[in-house]
Amino acid sequence: SAEQWHFCLLARVHDSEPIEGENADSCDIGYFVTHNNNVAWKNITVIEGHHNKAIVWFQNHLKYRNNFKFRFSSPLTLKGEKLISYSELFIVLDPKTFNSWIEGGRKGEGIEDAGECRIRIIDLNATIDNINLEPNAIGKLETEIHFLAELLPEDSIFTFDISMYDEKGE
């Protein structure tokens, strides 16, 4: 892949169920994951120094309109340091998703509206709640990290996780 900073990890459980597209030479990963009950997909983006953005695409795979929650978390480094202590962290939503969040009451925890489809993360376990998506709707979420030049952490490796949940918490 030309993208040496973004990786899609796939895992599958072998059981008696057939895996659709298992032996195909090429396959749409989104189709492969959504049409097989025993396949999981995890995205990892590695950001180094001068890169400060990563993009995540998401989709409502349900057959009905549903509200979703995004949870943003960052565990402490091995040295016990917090990402948020050394950076300003923003989430940038595509305009349609941002408007859905506004229509849903701008709900969330550990966040503040930063304007222009941007939301600032101000707590380690932040959420953006009540984003209503149509069936099969696809949206874009971008992380934007600005490290503070005056503060240098002992440990330079931070983890930032993004999880998406439906109304049932799944």
Side-chain angles (χ1 to χ4, degrees), residues 17-112:
E17 295 294 318
I19 297 175
E20 187 177 329
E22 177 179 24
N23 297 315
D25 289 338
S26 64
C27 182
D28 177 326
I29 293 176
Y31 180 88
F32 183 72
V33 172
T34 57
H35 286 84
N36 289 290
N37 195 30
N38 49 359
V39 177
W41 181 358
K42 172 84 172 172
N43 289 316
I44 295 178
T45 301
V46 178
I47 299 175
E48 295 187 50
H50 60 282
H51 295 96
N52 70 334
K53 296 181 181 182
I55 295 173
V56 175
W57 294 93
F58 57 87
Q59 181 174 10
N60 176 5
H61 291 287
L62 302 172
K63 294 180 177 159
Y64 51 88
R65 178 183 273 277
N66 201 356
N67 286 327
F68 291 90
K69 171 192 283 192
F70 290 97
R71 178 170 302 283
F72 308 98
S73 60
S74 180
L76 299 176
T77 66
L78 294 175
K79 300 277 187 181
E81 298 169 307
K82 300 176 186 180
L83 172 62
I84 207 152
S85 297
Y86 297 94
S87 66
E88 289 184 321
L89 183 56
F90 296 91
I91 300 301
V92 183
L93 298 173
D94 66 90
K96 189 172 183 178
T97 303
F98 189 78
N99 288 335
S100 176
W101 178 64
I102 290 171
E103 290 168 9
R106 297 178 188 251
K107 293 184 179 179
E109 295 178 12
I111 60 169
E112 61 186 23

Side-chain angles (χ1 to χ4, degrees), residues 62 64 66-71 127 129-130 163-170:
L62 302 172
Y64 51 88
N66 201 356
N67 286 327
F68 291 90
K69 171 192 283 192
F70 290 97
R71 178 170 302 283
T127 62
D129 303 322
N130 211 27
S163 303
M164 180 178 174
Y165 298 92
D166 66 13
E167 287 180 329
K168 297 175 187 173
E170 297 177 358

